[in-house]
């Protein structure tokens, strides 16, 4: 629903819960509690009917209209513009002395178009718009700036957006061509990163599907080389078939793209350009500009070596933007000496230099109080632990062949079965204890153990069912009704409690459950598509739903306890509030990604795999330059950094297993 109706529903639910509790304590002034609760229940149902999108706007059950899609495009462009402009600023791409990357036509025969003219990153939007078909393929080796240029192009197109196709930058590492069609994958990613597309009141039904189907999204597909080699040619063929000659941007490493084109043919009508290596004068100028006077002076022997051997290993390593940026970060202060790169014994080739700089990035970023303060990190993280945590994440991502770290995917690092058991046990214990605690002081205390056990088993079984991952889909018709579901569930619960404890208790419980379900409806999806997506924002929505639902059910149980035991027994009212809070929490978090993420995070933290404050750590790692953000996900600053950390994780595990082997001590003594 729209932001106005969402806020109205939230305010109405909270007000109804408060009036339900408050009305029970003024019965001494001549107000009949039965009449008060009946009037309140009828008023709340009428309030839901006024806001119900199914009753109010019947065409919401139909497919999105052109007006819906135009509104979705405008809002999506605003949100993406804010998201990517923030990321561009955080990467320092708006600094005055930022490198201007440039490209040339490749020497390889990988295009069916004439050679594209040379260009530069500060004019990438103009170069793209001058292309007849508005199709571009960016080639280059690792770290040459392909993703940076794609990001700058996306930001430039969003800044100029005045209708038409909305550029959406996505990494191809999350696409499996053997399992999913490229358009299905693109649609799924739109819904994952922008859940407000399911807002049927503002954008109609199946808005995300229709945006892709009607070609209102301009795909900026980053990293064809991240797809496994045996699937790469098939992926290129599927991209060609799905998008024909429509606008498209694709990035890939040069050799990998040549192999794919050899098997699947070139991307029709696309200008293919290759990122050029940096000029050595540009390298020297950038490193001088990024350092203070003392540090810049320590670079001079390196610059001399570059001039003497313009085709040597050092020049080869520093000619890519990534390696040059890593060098500027690693040798930014007096802790390390850049002249160590001149040691041919330690660094025999460009790969050794690149690996060394990737290793030192983590050491430089963490454990350094001055650097953490400069980067505005929340705290100084221990260097060794930070490296171990990042190595674990990199290894997990490599095992799943992904380049994006989504917080809700952390559950995969625990295992579905073990995660489900852990989550179900905890929620069952919380819910069962809450019910048993309240029943122990009720008029039937002998039933407390049995009631608590049954409630715990019920909550645990529900948790096991909820632990199974489901693909969220837009729903149509009556099942999107705000009035129907709260009304039916509230009536059912009210009848049960009314039969056990009287009319007023049934009204309180039924009304409270209806309020809780209506709140869940209001908080189940984002209302604003124009809101920039981020990991913190997507997680905050889940947390709001948890605590709001928990508090409402706490009020319900507190009010029910007041009715059953008398308003004067404030101790029982407090007990009802506490028990309701526990049961409300257990029921509210069942289907929320936040809960399963929390279970996985705590389990991994107990085993030392990750920090307790994981999201704080990830955000600090972004500020320190090790990670970056891509919508609601984190990424390592570059795939080379992730791969290097993953290699260290494997080496560390192997060494640990050898040390723990029962034969390791004997073998060592024999040697």
């Amino acid at each position: 629903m729209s932001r106005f109706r969402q806020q109205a529903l939230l305010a109405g639910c909270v007000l109804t819960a408060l009036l339900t509790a408050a009305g029970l304590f003024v019965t001494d002034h001549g107000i009949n509690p039965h009449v008060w609760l009946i009037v309140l229940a009828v008023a709340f149902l009428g309030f839901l009917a006024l806001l119900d999108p199914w009753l109010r706007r019947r065409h919401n059950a139909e497919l999105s209209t052109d007006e819906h899609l135009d509104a979705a495009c405008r809002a999506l462009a605003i949100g993406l513009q804010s998201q990517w402009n923030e990321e561009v600023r955080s990467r320092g791409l708006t600094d005055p002395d930022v490198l201007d990357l440039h490209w040339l036509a490749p020497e390889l025969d990988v295009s069916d178009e004439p050679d594209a003219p040379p260009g530069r990153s500060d004019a990438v939007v103009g170069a793209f718009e001058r292309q007849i078909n508005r199709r571009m393929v960016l080639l280059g080796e690792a770290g040459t700036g392909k993703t940076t240029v794609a990001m700058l192009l996306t930001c430039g197109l969003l800044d100029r957006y005045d209708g038409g196709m909305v550029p959406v930058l996505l990494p191809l590492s999350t696409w499996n061509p053997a399992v999913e069609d490229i358009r299905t994958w693109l649609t799924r990613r739109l819904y994952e990163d922008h859940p407000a597309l399911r807002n049927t009141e503002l954008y109609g039904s199946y808005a995300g599907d229709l945006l892709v189907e009607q070609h209102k999204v301009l795909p900026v597909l980053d990293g064809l080389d991240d797809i496994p080699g045996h699937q790469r040619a098939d992926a290129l063929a599927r991209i060609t078939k799905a998008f024909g000659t429509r606008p498209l941007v694709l990035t890939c490493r040069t050799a990998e793209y040549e192999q794919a084109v050899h098997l699947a043919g070139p991307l029709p009508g696309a200008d293919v350009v290759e990122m050029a290596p940096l000029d050595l004068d540009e390298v020297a100028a950038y490193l001088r500009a990024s350092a203070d006077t003392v540090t810049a002076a320590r670079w001079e022997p390196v610059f001399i070596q570059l001039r003497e051997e313009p085709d040597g290993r050092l020049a080869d390593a520093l000619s890519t933007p990534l390696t040059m940026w890593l060098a500027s970060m690693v040798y930014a202060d007096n802790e390390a000496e850049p002249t160590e790169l001149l040691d041919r014994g330690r660094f025999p080739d460009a790969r050794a230099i690149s690996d060394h700089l990737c290793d030192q990035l983590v050491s430089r970023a963490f454990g350094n109080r001055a650097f953490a303060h400069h980067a505005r990190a929340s705290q100084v993280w221990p260097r060794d632990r930070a490296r171990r945590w990042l190595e674990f994440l990199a290894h997990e991502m490599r095992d799943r062949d992904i380049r994006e770290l989504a917080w809700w995917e952390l559950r995969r690092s625990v295992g579905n079965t073990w995660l489900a058991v852990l989550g179900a046990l905890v929620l069952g214990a919380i819910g069962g204890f809450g019910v048993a605690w309240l029943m122990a002081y009720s008029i039937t205390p002998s039933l407390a153990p049995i009631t608590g056990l049954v409630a715990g088993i019920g909550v645990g079984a529900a948790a096991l069912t909820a632990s199974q991952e489901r693909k969220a889909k837009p729903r149509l018709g009556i099942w999107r009704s705000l009035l129907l579901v709260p009304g039916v569930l509230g009536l059912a619960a009210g009848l049960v409690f009314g039969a056990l404890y009287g009319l007023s208790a049934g009204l309180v419980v039924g009304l409270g459950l209806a309020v809780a379900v209506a709140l869940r409806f209001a908080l189940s999806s984002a209302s604003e598509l124009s809101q920039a997506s981020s990991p913190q924002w997507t997680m905050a929505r889940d947390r709001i739903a948890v605590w709001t639902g928990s508090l409402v059910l706490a009020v319900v149980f507190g009010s029910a306890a007041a009715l059953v035991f008398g308003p004067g027994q404030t101790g029982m009212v407090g007990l009802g509030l506490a028990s309701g809070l526990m049961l409300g929490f257990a029921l509210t978090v069942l289907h929320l990604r936040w809960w399963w993420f929390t279970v996985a995070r705590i389990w991994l933290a107990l085993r030392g795999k990750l920090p307790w404050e994981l999201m704080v750590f990830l955000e600090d790692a972004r500020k320190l330059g090790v990670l970056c953000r891509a919508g609601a996900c984190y990424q390592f600053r570059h795939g080379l950094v992730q791969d290097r950390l993953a290699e260290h994780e494997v080496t560390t595990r192997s060494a640990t297993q050898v040390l723990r082997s029962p034969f390791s001590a004997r073998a060592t003594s024999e040697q």
Side-chain angles (χ1 to χ4, degrees):
M1 53 177 56
S2 66
R3 175 176 286 274
F4 170 77
R5 285 185 170 80
Q6 188 182 53
Q7 292 176 344
L9 180 56
L10 292 175
C13 288
V14 174
L15 181 61
T16 301
L18 293 177
L19 289 177
T20 301
L24 300 177
F25 293 94
V26 295
T27 53
D28 293 338
H29 299 280
I31 300 178
N32 190 313
H34 293 53
V35 175
W36 173 271
L37 294 172
I38 290 174
V39 170
L40 198 58
V42 172
F44 182 68
L45 292 177
F47 174 71
L48 293 184
L50 291 175
L51 297 178
D52 195 304
W54 180 70
L55 295 177
R56 191 178 55 82
R57 295 180 63 178
R58 298 174 63 184
H59 69 266
N60 280 344
E62 302 172 356
L63 295 179
S64 301
T65 63
D66 291 340
E67 291 77 12
H68 282 139
L69 296 181
D70 289 341
C73 285
R74 290 192 299 271
L76 181 61
I78 293 173
L80 288 172
Q81 181 186 30
S82 176
Q83 168 189 320
W84 287 114
N85 282 338
E86 167 61 25
E87 187 59 28
V88 164
R89 285 191 296 270
S90 69
R91 296 193 188 195
L93 299 178
T94 58
D95 296 343
D97 56 349
V98 67
L99 279 173
D100 191 12
L101 307 177
H102 51 281
W103 60 79
L104 301 169
E107 298 179 358
L108 305 172
D109 184 17
V110 291
S111 175
D112 60 358
E113 292 286 307
D115 287 349
R120 305 182 71 87
S121 59
D122 61 350
V124 63
V125 177
F128 179 76
E129 292 182 336
R130 284 192 298 270
Q131 211 273 344
I132 297 176
N133 299 315
R134 300 186 73 191
R135 294 165 71 82
M136 179 179 287
V137 178
L138 297 167
L139 303 180
E141 298 309 312
T144 53
K146 304 182 296 297
T147 300
T148 298
V149 174
M151 188 188 307
L152 292 174
L153 173 59
T154 301
C155 287
L157 293 175
L158 289 170
D159 290 340
R160 299 185 183 188
Y161 182 80
D162 59 355
M165 301 181 75
V166 181
V168 178
L169 173 60
L170 292 171
L172 281 171
S173 63
T174 59
W175 175 42
N176 185 346
V179 175
E180 203 170 20
D181 178 73
I182 182 68
R183 286 170 296 190
T184 304
W185 168 80
L186 181 56
T187 302
R188 174 173 62 82
R189 288 304 309 268
L190 282 176
Y191 282 125
E192 287 178 353
D193 293 346
H194 310 281
L197 278 172
R198 294 191 177 93
N199 189 327
T200 56
E201 180 183 349
L202 294 181
Y203 311 119
S205 298
Y206 295 102
D209 302 71
L210 293 174
L211 287 177
V212 175
E213 184 67 26
Q214 298 184 15
H215 308 289
K216 294 184 178 294
V217 171
L218 194 164
V220 183
L221 307 176
D222 183 31
L224 179 65
D225 51 277
D226 287 329
I227 294 177
H230 66 281
Q231 296 180 322
R232 201 172 294 131
D234 180 51
L236 182 59
R238 288 174 178 268
I239 291 173
T240 300
K241 181 180 179 180
F243 300 110
T245 58
R246 295 180 181 86
L248 174 73
V249 179
L250 181 67
T251 75
C252 186
R253 297 186 186 183
T254 305
E256 285 80 352
Y257 188 73
E258 181 186 15
Q259 294 171 0
V261 168
H262 177 71
L263 297 174
L267 195 66
D271 274 356
V272 181
V273 299
E274 185 174 15
M275 304 303 299
L278 296 175
D279 184 82
L280 296 181
D281 291 335
E282 291 179 307
V283 173
Y286 179 85
L287 292 174
R288 286 193 184 100
S290 61
D292 55 31
T293 305
V294 176
T295 306
R298 293 189 290 119
W299 275 105
E300 290 304 324
V302 177
F303 298 153
I304 294 174
Q305 179 70 22
L306 293 176
R307 287 192 293 269
E308 292 178 351
E309 297 183 9
D311 297 324
R313 59 180 182 83
L314 190 56
D316 186 23
L318 295 179
S319 63
T320 64
L322 172 67
T323 310
M324 190 181 59
W325 174 81
L326 288 171
S328 69
M329 290 285 292
V330 171
Y331 302 111
D333 53 29
N334 296 323
E335 290 187 5
E337 179 62 48
T339 54
E340 67 179 353
L341 298 178
L342 302 176
D343 188 345
R344 297 180 184 272
R346 290 181 60 192
F347 311 111
D349 52 28
R351 175 62 186 272
I353 295 175
S354 175
D355 288 346
H356 169 71
L357 294 176
C358 288
D359 293 341
Q360 292 302 309
L361 175 64
V362 177
S363 300
R364 159 76 173 134
F366 295 97
N368 189 322
R369 186 173 300 277
F371 186 64
H373 176 74
H374 175 74
R376 298 182 179 180
S378 65
Q379 57 186 287
V380 180
W381 298 91
R383 183 172 297 165
D384 293 339
R385 292 183 182 179
R387 176 180 292 278
R388 187 169 67 250
W389 298 331
L390 291 171
E391 288 174 354
F392 172 78
L393 292 174
H395 183 266
E396 290 292 311
M397 294 169 67
R398 189 179 70 170
D399 282 352
R400 300 202 298 268
D401 290 326
I402 58 175
R403 294 293 188 187
E404 285 190 323
L405 177 62
W407 60 266
W408 58 87
E409 295 287 348
L410 186 69
R411 58 189 297 169
R412 298 181 184 274
S413 298
V414 177
N416 290 335
T417 302
W418 190 230
L419 181 81
V421 172
L422 286 174
L425 287 176
V426 174
L427 289 184
I430 293 175
F433 179 77
V435 172
W437 191 18
L438 180 62
M439 293 299 296
Y441 293 91
S442 68
I443 56 178
T444 55
S446 60
L447 297 178
I450 297 177
T451 308
L453 180 61
V454 171
I457 293 175
V459 173
L464 288 174
T465 303
S467 67
Q468 304 301 315
E469 296 183 79
R470 297 179 177 87
K471 293 183 179 179
K473 297 180 179 180
R475 295 179 180 178
L476 299 177
I478 196 169
W479 299 111
R480 288 296 290 171
S481 173
L482 175 62
L483 175 63
L484 180 67
V485 179
V488 171
L489 293 179
L491 178 62
L495 290 175
V496 173
F497 274 80
L500 293 175
Y501 299 109
L503 177 60
S504 292
L507 286 169
V508 168
V509 173
L511 184 58
L513 186 59
V515 169
V517 174
L519 274 175
R520 177 66 184 271
F521 184 95
L523 298 170
S524 62
S525 63
S527 63
E528 290 294 331
L529 186 57
S530 57
Q531 170 70 44
S533 183
S534 70
Q536 289 73 21
W537 179 71
T538 53
M539 183 177 289
R541 289 179 50 249
D542 275 13
R543 284 200 299 260
I544 290 173
V546 169
W547 298 118
T548 305
S550 301
L551 289 173
V552 167
L553 286 182
V555 172
V556 170
F557 272 70
S559 302
L563 282 172
V564 174
F565 302 105
Q569 299 185 30
T570 55
M572 291 306 301
V573 174
L575 178 58
L577 289 170
S579 300
L581 185 64
M582 297 171 68
L583 183 60
F585 175 84
L587 295 177
T588 304
V589 301
L590 286 177
H591 297 283
L592 293 178
R593 299 179 301 182
W594 173 83
W595 168 250
W596 301 107
F597 160 78
T598 301
V599 173
R601 176 180 63 83
I602 292 176
W603 177 249
L604 293 172
L606 286 171
R607 299 175 60 198
K609 301 291 186 181
L610 292 175
W612 288 98
E613 299 176 290
L614 176 59
M615 296 305 293
V616 177
F617 171 73
L618 294 178
E619 185 61 19
D620 280 352
R622 184 187 73 88
K623 294 177 180 178
L624 295 170
V626 180
L627 300 180
C628 57
R629 267 199 320 229
C633 304
Y634 285 103
Q635 294 176 330
F636 281 91
R637 188 62 179 254
H638 194 274
L640 290 178
V641 178
Q642 175 184 329
D643 294 340
R644 187 63 179 166
L645 288 168
E647 290 174 8
H648 275 290
E649 168 71 6
V650 173
T651 304
T652 303
R653 285 188 182 183
S654 300
T656 303
Q657 291 173 357
V658 169
L659 290 174
R660 291 178 178 176
S661 170
F663 303 102
S664 60
R666 178 180 176 182
T668 303
S669 63
E670 291 177 354
Q671 292 175 356

